[in-house]
Amino acid sequence: MPTARNARGRVVLKFNMQSDGSVVGLEVIEDSVGVIQSLVCQKAVSEPAPYGRWPDDMRRMIGNDSREVRFSFFYN
């Protein structure tokens, strides 16, 4: 079992980014490195939130007030 310092693998997060910059429904959908790394990845997304508001052009382009995001963190 790899330790936190030498883990190799990835963590994949899924969440909805709202047009007001908030993150909703953050969840881990893949974790091949362990709980500690998974928590670090979740914090990397959730702690800086809320992010900046979407410009009107972006909201029109997306056609919705939210967008599903999948983000992968790789540990090498």
Side-chain angles (χ1 to χ4, degrees), residues 18-50:
Q18 305 297 110
S19 63
D20 67 358
S22 61
V23 172
V24 177
L26 178 62
E27 63 180 296
V28 177
I29 59 172
E30 182 181 330
D31 175 2
S32 65
V33 290
V35 174
I36 293 171
Q37 292 84 359
S38 178
L39 289 172
V40 169
C41 295
Q42 291 176 71
K43 287 178 74 170
V45 170
S46 64
E47 283 190 357

Side-chain angles (χ1 to χ4, degrees), residues 3-25:
T3 65
R5 287 183 177 239
N6 66 3
R8 297 177 68 84
R10 75 178 181 172
V11 174
V12 180
L13 303 179
K14 181 175 89 170
F15 55 93
N16 286 312
M17 176 64 72
Q18 305 297 110
S19 63
D20 67 358
S22 61
V23 172
V24 177

